[in-house]
Amino acid sequence: MSPIEISLLSFALMLGGAATGSLLRRALPDHHLDEHAKDIVRLGAGLVATISALVLGLLISSASSSYEAQRNEVRQMAANLILLDELLERYGPEARPIRQTLRAAIEPLVLQLWGELGARGPQAMATEPSGNASRAYMALHDLTPQTDAQHSIKSLALQTATDTQRSRLMLFERSHAGIPAPFLAILIFWLTMIFVSFCLFSPLNPTSIVALVFIALSASGAIFLILEMGQPFNGLMQISSRALRTALAPLAP
């Protein structure tokens, strides 16, 4: 299910919990809803609400950190490509074919990362760089330096290319790590039980109904943010590919 579908489902479940609490309040005998039961339910609901708030806060913080890390990784890849191109330019005219191959490798890289070539599955794409990227990397090894400066530039270029490849693999690894389904189900269950407790002792009126809708919308919105930031290469909050697409300007003829 997509993040928006899971969020809408959690929203419906929380409102359903409120409706269940209202029905239970009418169905249960009065001695089941005395002051002692009210104290126990409210204290228990407070404990569950505290745990849920802590978990939601930690998940939002973790998802935000992961999202920012992957966005910085994309920027680092773009910076590495620019650096690699500048190193090859300084190496000399014999490196020009590699620079052309490097430019041809960017678009397939973007397509891989943003999932437009997902027919073979994420793991296949993660372990199979594009043909142009492989040719450029092998061509770097085949360079024959003639001076000490070229030896140094070749070494730096190989290191930069290796760092770029490592960043690509890290992005694939992080981009497919989401929240475990049982963990998410338990969190939604906790939130639903909180909404049951809201209406177990208090009758509903138009004001309380509107308040419950907004509270459920806020909680499901938090779940949406967590899930959406967990998949940074698609959805509404996807990382922009502009940094990679515009990293290298076309070579002058």
Side-chain angles (χ1 to χ4, degrees), residues 58-207:
L58 289 173
L59 286 177
I60 290 174
S61 176
S62 176
S64 178
S65 298
S66 176
Y67 182 87
E68 286 299 321
Q70 291 179 82
R71 184 161 63 175
N72 291 335
E73 203 78 50
V74 170
R75 292 170 178 168
Q76 185 63 52
M77 284 183 64
N80 284 341
L81 288 172
I82 294 172
L83 175 60
L84 180 57
D85 185 64
E86 291 180 352
L87 289 171
L88 293 174
E89 182 180 14
R90 295 175 186 175
Y91 186 91
E94 56 266 52
R96 182 181 176 88
I98 304 178
R99 298 176 66 198
Q100 292 173 334
T101 306
L102 196 62
R103 281 159 172 75
I106 290 180
E107 190 62 24
L109 173 63
V110 171
L111 291 176
Q112 284 184 339
L113 285 174
W114 273 261
E116 297 175 17
L117 297 180
R120 293 179 295 169
Q123 294 303 319
M125 289 189 296
T127 57
E128 297 177 15
S130 68
N132 287 321
S134 297
R135 284 192 291 272
Y137 189 74
M138 295 307 299
L140 280 174
H141 283 278
D142 294 338
L143 286 175
T144 306
Q146 303 297 324
T147 65
D148 290 342
Q150 287 184 334
H151 274 286
S152 177
I153 290 174
K154 178 182 177 179
S155 177
L156 288 173
L158 286 172
Q159 182 61 49
T160 304
T162 301
D163 290 343
T164 303
Q165 174 70 354
R166 185 181 295 110
S167 296
R168 186 181 74 90
L169 293 174
M170 284 296 297
L171 283 172
F172 275 106
E173 179 64 25
R174 288 177 176 173
S175 64
H176 298 97
I179 301 175
F183 188 96
L184 185 62
I186 291 173
L187 176 60
I188 294 175
F189 173 75
W190 287 346
L191 294 172
T192 302
M193 290 300 100
I194 293 171
F195 274 77
V196 171
S197 70
F198 285 165
C199 301
L200 190 57
F201 298 100
S202 303
L204 291 176
N205 57 48
T207 301

Side-chain angles (χ1 to χ4, degrees), residues 205-216:
N205 57 48
T207 301
S208 60
I209 292 174
V210 172
L212 286 173
V213 169
F214 276 101
I215 295 170

